[in-house]
């Protein structure tokens, strides 16, 4: 199917983009790997596409005192290959490497992925576990939105009309932290049927903190309380017990022809146990 007719604009500054996005029916375009398929299906019918992909500086990746900042236009391929990301946040580089296929990773962007808020996307789950902040800008100014407040529901975020994601900031993780993203990928699309991000912090042989997020099962990624791990020594039993909290956190699971809701919840528990154990193993560096 062809998209409905639309106008196309390609601003080269943020101010120009904001001005164009002020028009009725205008929509930002980044890598186009979610928006264009939706337009072809006529699920999305923007009057004007505002192609932000040529705005300089929006693809920068930087590590500084505030943590790791990934520009909205950084492609999945660039994040996956970045030595800065691999050094400071290995789980994020690995998450990027698991997205789609080479073509999708070459065009798809961090900003586009989280703005689209597909429940089966990979970044949202990992960013929730990492406690990221989404940095936005619009004619009204800039905002910093905690990732837990950013995802509202399926394909719905806290972004306001005319507002752009400019970057995402991930707070620095203390030494002795390990992180792992595991997913059961859909065989056709590679999207996450279930995706699990686990972060474990250790000191002196004891767990000092842990975070777990589940994607693909609800309308938005879900944080699971695994604080019971704090103070424990890592073992298969303590991780199995912590993973037991997953089912209770996942009310109304998504089900489809490929995987029922019940199956997804079961899978999430299994992957959570494995991800927590693997994250703990990585705490040694
Ligand atoms: C075959 C295929 C397989 C895929 N597999 C996976 C997968 O395994 N895992 C996964 O996570 N994803 C997968 N994707 C999705 C892919 O990661 C997309 O690239 C991504 O979801 C959207 O990024 P984009 O840059 O292409 O955004 P676009 O398609 O350009 O835009 C998507 C939405 O975000 C908005 N937008 C874009 N940038 C911004 C911004 N900076 N600020 C505000 N709004 C913005 C647009 O207006 C639009 O609503 C797949 C896609 C395809 C086609």
């Amino acid at each position: 199917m062809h998209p409905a007719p639309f106008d196309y604009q390609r601003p080269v500054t943020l101010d120009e983009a904001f001005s164009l996005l002020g028009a009725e029916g205008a929509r930002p375009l980044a890598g186009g790997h979610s928006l264009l398929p939706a337009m072809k299906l006529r699920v999305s019918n923007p009057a004007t596409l505002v192609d932000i992909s040529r705005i300089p500086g929006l693809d920068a990746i930087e590590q500084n005192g505030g943590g790791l900042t990934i520009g909205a236009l950084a492609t999945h391929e660039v994040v996956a290959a970045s030595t800065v990301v691999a050094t400071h946040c290995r789980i994020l580089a690995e998450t990027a490497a698991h997205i789609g296929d080479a073509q999708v990773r070459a065009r798809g962007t961090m900003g586009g992925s989280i703005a689209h808020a597909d429940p089966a996307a990979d970044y949202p789950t990992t960013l929730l576990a990492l406690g990221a902040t989404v940095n936005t800008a619009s004619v009204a100014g800039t905002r910093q939105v905690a990732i837990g407040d950013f995802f509202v529901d399926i394909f719905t975020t806290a972004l306001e009309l005319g507002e752009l994601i400019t970057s995402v900031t991930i707070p620095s993780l203390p030494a002795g932290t390990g992180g792992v993203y595991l997913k059961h990928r859909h065989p056709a699309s590679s999207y996450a049927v279930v995706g699990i991000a686990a972060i474990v912090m250790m000191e002196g042989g004891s767990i000092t903190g842990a975070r777990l997020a589940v994607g693909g099962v609800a309308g938005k990624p879900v944080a699971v309380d695994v604080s019971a791990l704090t103070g424990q020594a890592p073992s298969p039993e303590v991780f199995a017990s912590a993973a037991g909290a997953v089912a209770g956190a996942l009310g109304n699971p998504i089900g489809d022809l490929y995987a029922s809701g019940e199956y997804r919840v079961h899978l999430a528990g299994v992957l959570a146990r494995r991800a927590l154990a693997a994250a703990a193993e990585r705490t040694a560096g």
Side-chain angles (χ1 to χ4, degrees), residues 14 21 26-38 44 46 49-52 58 71-76 95-96 98-101 103-124 134-137 150 155 157 159-160 162-167 181 183 185-186 188-192:
L14 267 179
L21 287 168
R27 190 93 179 262
L29 172 75
H33 268 55
S34 290
L35 182 53
L36 296 184
S44 182
L49 284 184
V50 179
D51 182 350
I52 59 170
L58 279 187
L73 289 178
T75 61
H76 312 327
T95 302
H98 281 101
I99 295 175
D101 54 28
Q103 283 170 305
V104 172
R105 290 193 293 276
R107 295 293 306 168
T109 65
M110 167 75 75
S113 174
I114 65 171
H116 190 57
D118 190 318
D122 296 295
Y123 276 144
V134 181
N135 305 304
T136 73
F150 182 79
F155 301 120
T157 70
L159 277 176
E160 287 165 8
E163 191 173 31
L164 285 174
I165 297 165
T166 49
S167 62
Y181 179 72
K183 85 165 164 177
R185 63 176 61 230
H186 191 285
S189 67
S190 274
Y191 274 103

Side-chain angles (χ1 to χ4, degrees), residues 5-272:
F6 60 90
D7 190 16
Y8 174 85
Q9 300 284 346
R10 200 169 67 198
V12 288
T13 66
L14 267 179
D15 283 342
E16 199 188 337
F18 296 147
S19 154
L20 291 163
L21 287 168
E24 200 175 328
R27 190 93 179 262
L29 172 75
H33 268 55
S34 290
L35 182 53
L36 296 184
M39 288 170 64
K40 286 183 184 170
L41 291 170
R42 304 218 174 180
V43 173
S44 182
N45 300 299
T48 306
L49 284 184
V50 179
D51 182 350
I52 59 170
S53 65
R54 308 288 171 95
I55 299 177
L58 279 187
D59 59 351
I61 296 178
E62 289 167 357
Q63 169 72 26
N64 58 35
L68 177 67
T69 296
I70 313 280
L73 289 178
T75 61
H76 312 327
E77 178 183 68
V78 166
V79 174
S82 162
T83 45
V84 176
V85 180
T87 305
H88 296 281
C89 196
R90 179 174 167 188
I91 182 177
L92 190 66
E94 292 178 349
T95 302
H98 281 101
I99 295 175
D101 54 28
Q103 283 170 305
V104 172
R105 290 193 293 276
R107 295 293 306 168
T109 65
M110 167 75 75
S113 174
I114 65 171
H116 190 57
D118 190 318
D122 296 295
Y123 276 144
T125 309
T126 296
L127 293 174
L128 182 63
L130 287 167
T133 298
V134 181
N135 305 304
T136 73
S138 69
V139 277
T142 58
R143 288 201 298 154
Q144 283 75 45
V145 185
I147 195 83
D149 298 328
F150 182 79
F151 297 111
V152 175
D153 205 344
I154 182 164
F155 301 120
T156 311
T157 70
L159 277 176
E160 287 165 8
L161 217 57
E163 191 173 31
L164 285 174
I165 297 165
T166 49
S167 62
V168 174
T169 301
I170 294 131
S172 299
L173 299 167
T177 300
V180 167
Y181 179 72
L182 293 183
K183 85 165 164 177
H184 179 89
R185 63 176 61 230
H186 191 285
S189 67
S190 274
Y191 274 103
V193 175
V194 174
I196 302 279
I199 308 283
V200 174
M201 292 155 229
M202 299 254 300
E203 207 180 306
S206 283
I207 297 168
T208 54
R211 295 188 224 139
L212 188 73
V214 180
V217 184
K220 60 178 183 175
V222 175
V224 179
D225 182 2
V226 286
S227 56
L229 285 170
T230 303
Q232 309 236 43
S235 72
E237 292 74 27
V238 301
F239 293 130
S241 167
V246 166
L250 300 171
N252 285 332
I254 295 172
D256 57 23
L257 279 177
Y258 180 75
S260 67
E262 191 188 358
Y263 176 68
R264 279 172 208 254
V265 171
H266 173 74
L267 199 52
V270 172
L271 292 179

